[in-house]
Amino acid sequence: MSQLFDEESLRKSVEAEDKVGGNIGAGLDWGSAFAGLMGNLELLGRFTTLRISLNREVRLLLNNWNLGTATKIAVIAAKERILEKFRLPTPEVREYILATLENDQLYGEEFISNREILRELLGVLLKQEDWETIAAVAADSLKKEIIHQAVSEKISA
């Protein structure tokens, strides 16, 4: 995931797409808005801070839900959904992210500390079907773990 926002990695992705003469899905699908983002290093840095802050917020949120061993896989699934929304944003998501990037008050620390803004953005990014996917992945992981434990302890006949 860190390679996705690394300037050198992005440059290589663009070169790979240029070689084949089209989009191979190596970069973000932001259209002309992404070109402006790449040209502004401060905004690109904010983009990285925002992404890291959202990942941190979703981890804290899921940890608070006391999901036990399913927490780790739920966090991974949630981060994947967030990344997908960043890679292929809807117009609503793109607009909200750009507005968040332009909010000077949010930046200046390692993470965005305004959890209300982060939760609001998570609400824009992760819809009901995303949470259903996250829940299904976590439930499947927990099911596999229970079966593995039962088999390894020779509980089932």
Side-chain angles (χ1 to χ4, degrees):
M1 210 156 37
S2 62
Q3 285 185 338
L4 180 61
F5 299 102
D6 177 65
E7 191 174 335
E8 182 62 26
S9 179
L10 284 171
R11 200 173 292 126
K12 287 179 182 178
S13 297
V14 170
E15 288 172 7
E17 288 180 345
D18 286 344
K19 282 182 183 178
V20 297
N23 185 349
I24 59 171
L28 300 175
D29 186 15
W30 278 62
S32 61
F34 190 66
L37 185 62
M38 282 299 294
N40 184 330
L41 290 180
E42 180 182 358
L43 222 48
L44 187 59
R46 287 182 177 194
F47 191 77
T48 302
T49 299
L50 177 59
R51 181 188 52 83
I52 292 168
S53 297
L54 283 168
N55 285 343
R56 179 177 178 259
E57 187 62 29
V58 81
R59 180 180 46 81
L60 292 171
L61 179 68
L62 290 169
N63 280 334
N64 286 338
W65 290 353
N66 200 20
L67 303 175
T69 59
T71 301
K72 184 177 180 180
I73 195 71
V75 169
I76 291 169
K79 287 179 178 182
E80 288 172 357
R81 299 301 290 184
I82 291 169
L83 180 59
E84 181 180 309
K85 302 295 179 155
F86 269 68
R87 289 192 69 184
L88 300 168
T90 64
E92 175 194 14
V93 167
R94 186 179 311 127
E95 182 180 317
Y96 202 94
I97 289 172
L98 289 174
T100 305
L101 292 174
E102 293 172 357
N103 185 344
D104 294 337
Q105 296 174 344
L106 297 176
Y107 302 92
E109 299 176 25
E110 184 179 359
F111 297 105
I112 295 173
S113 59
N114 188 328
R115 296 185 74 193
E116 185 178 317
I117 294 283
L118 292 171
R119 293 276 175 106
E120 192 175 316
L121 184 51
L122 283 175
V124 171
L125 291 170
L126 300 175
K127 301 297 184 191
Q128 176 76 28
E129 58 270 11
D130 298 306
W131 288 112
E132 289 173 6
T133 300
I134 293 163
V137 168
D140 187 52
S141 172
L142 186 56
K143 177 183 172 183
K144 288 176 183 175
E145 185 174 332
I146 289 171
I147 292 169
H148 173 74
Q149 291 297 330
V151 169
S152 68
E153 294 184 24
K154 299 181 187 199
I155 294 175
S156 61

